[in-house]
Amino acid sequence: MTQPASAPARNVPGRRLGRDLAYNLSAFFTGTIAFTLAVTLFSLGIATVIIYIGIFILLGALFTATFFAGAERRIATWATGQLPPTYYRRSTADSTMRRMLDPLRDGQRWKDLIHAVVSFPVRVLAFSVTISWIAAALGGITQWIWERYLPESNVSLLDILRVDPAYHVWIQIGLGLAFLFTLPPISRGLALLQRALAVGLLTNERQAMREEADRLTNSRSSVIAAEADTLRKIERDIHDGPQQRMVRMNMDLEAAKRRLDPQDSATKELLDSALEQSRGALAELRALSRGIAPPVLVDRGLVPALEASAARSPIPVIVEATEPAHGRFAVAIEQAAYFAGVESLTNAAKHSRATGCRLLLDVADGHLALQVRDDGVGGAHLGKGTGLAGLADRLAGVDGTLTVDSPENAGTVISVSIPLGTDG
Amino acid sequence: MRIVIAEDSVLLREGLVRLLREGGAEVLAAVANKDELLDAVEEFSPDVVLTDVRMPPGFSDEGLRAAQQIRGKYPHIGILVLSQYVELTYATDLLASASAPGAGGLGYLLKDRIARLEEMMDALERIQAGGVVLDPEVVSAAFSKPRTDPMATLTQREREVLELMAEGRTNAAIAATLFLSAGAVEKNISSIFTKMGLAPSQDDHRRVLVVLAWMKV
């Protein structure tokens, strides 16, 4: 476990005591205000719901309670260390009215209201006990100073117990010291009691985590989708910009060559070399585009794109796709599946020494299944630095899974499964 | 030769116009999208249409779809599709409409090829004559496809001949490329026809058919 940033400093007992005391003593004042407002507004709101205005008063009660809950969390954290996280529902309603009323449907806000009421007696207890304890400690220790100013008729507990007056002072001091030494644990106990109530009513860790998980899932999906779109855009920009210019440059260089004096071999050599460079650059750009977002995938979908890629494979590849696999899927899914297929084929061509390869594509139980089988030497694995490891990471982005079954000398089967989700 | 050009990139459109005029062709119209192309074909009825694959508005395969529409309406007009990419699906889609007797020629070339005047004019002339011209890269990609049909029974030499036929070469050019006699080329070709189960008929038409069969259209 890491140390929470705002943990009270354990190595300074004085500081801890100070914070506990401040927490216990201030609790009474904030608690009283919170309690009064919560009870008043809630009662008023409930009573006037019938004429609608009550709904807004209730909203006011909730917001007030949430405000005090925030203050309570802050001081509890300051005095006793980090609290579990709290989550309030974020309204996603379209209409302003719905958005305004949504806090009424948030359980946590109602728990804040309950806390304002329920914590009141606990806070009163914490305040009273702390005050009494401090008074007893200080009073006992200092009694020998102020005792002489007390009226004579005063009968103390010790007189009733028939204790010799000579010992009174010492007993008082002893009692005072006892109170003084027990003040830190008592004060700590009361602070922890209040903290427990705050943790119970003012935090909702599971809800917060679920919410966080939802939020991350959503943001990840949108990031993945945005990435897929960006890649397409980059591909289009390469196509429309540099690629066209290179082609035009080729044309112009060829035209220049045609107009050249046949005797001028030096210039012809230069032009030839320039042509060679621009052709090379064009070929590289084309390969780059294919690596980013192959146009055939964008235009035609997964099966034609994989077929085109299979056609470029140095080992013979047979592509078999069932009818549903010929459909179109979400951009990110198509891209992930395409690159999985291409990477698997590349892997087979590079390492398997296979004589042939089959690529199977199917849709079953809401998953897109892609399988690449070769009859090579096997021994493929998902180890670090292999193309397959990178592939597994890439698939994780769309919740896809990758399994490699590759016994030595018995061929390799790479299976990829991608959930199609609702937008598949 | 009367030609209509469709290419959305201004740079290339200008370059193409200049190149074809230099080659002695008559450029009737140079347009930038599918609709303009269809209008221009309607208006000028060219011998050959030269079109890019990706054009506005969708930048996907408008050029191919325009080519198919033109083929459906005016089957005699030759079509040469230019692409930045070797994609078999594009080539086979295009060829699917090529096999009717009397239909105009078809071609699918990478944009790299259009820089060379003589290659370009040569391709256009063969298309005008009703031939099929495929980019060597498309051909080699198609050849790397595993086959489970009569094609698999072709000899190495027959495959070489077929590849050159697919690129739209004449018998004489094939003979020169492979250092064979004209007779040997003819023998190879008729052997290919036999293995593919094509009855003797109009020679040009059979040449197209055999290429199509091999492209698995």
Side-chain angles (χ1 to χ4, degrees), chain A residues 22 34 42 52 118 204 227-228 262-263 301 322 329 344 346 368 374 383 407:
Chain A
F42 179 74
Y52 298 116
V118 172
N204 46 4
E227 187 210 30
Q263 307 303 317
T322 58
F329 310 99
S344 307
T346 308
L368 179 66
D374 68 51

Side-chain angles (χ1 to χ4, degrees), chain B residues 4-32:
Chain B
V4 167
I5 297 174
E7 161 66 62
D8 60 297
S9 152
V10 179
L11 276 177
L12 291 195
R13 205 163 57 229
E14 286 173 354
L16 277 169
V17 171
R18 198 188 58 198
L19 183 84
L20 296 176
R21 292 206 167 127
E22 192 181 337
E26 184 190 349
V27 180
L28 306 166
V31 298

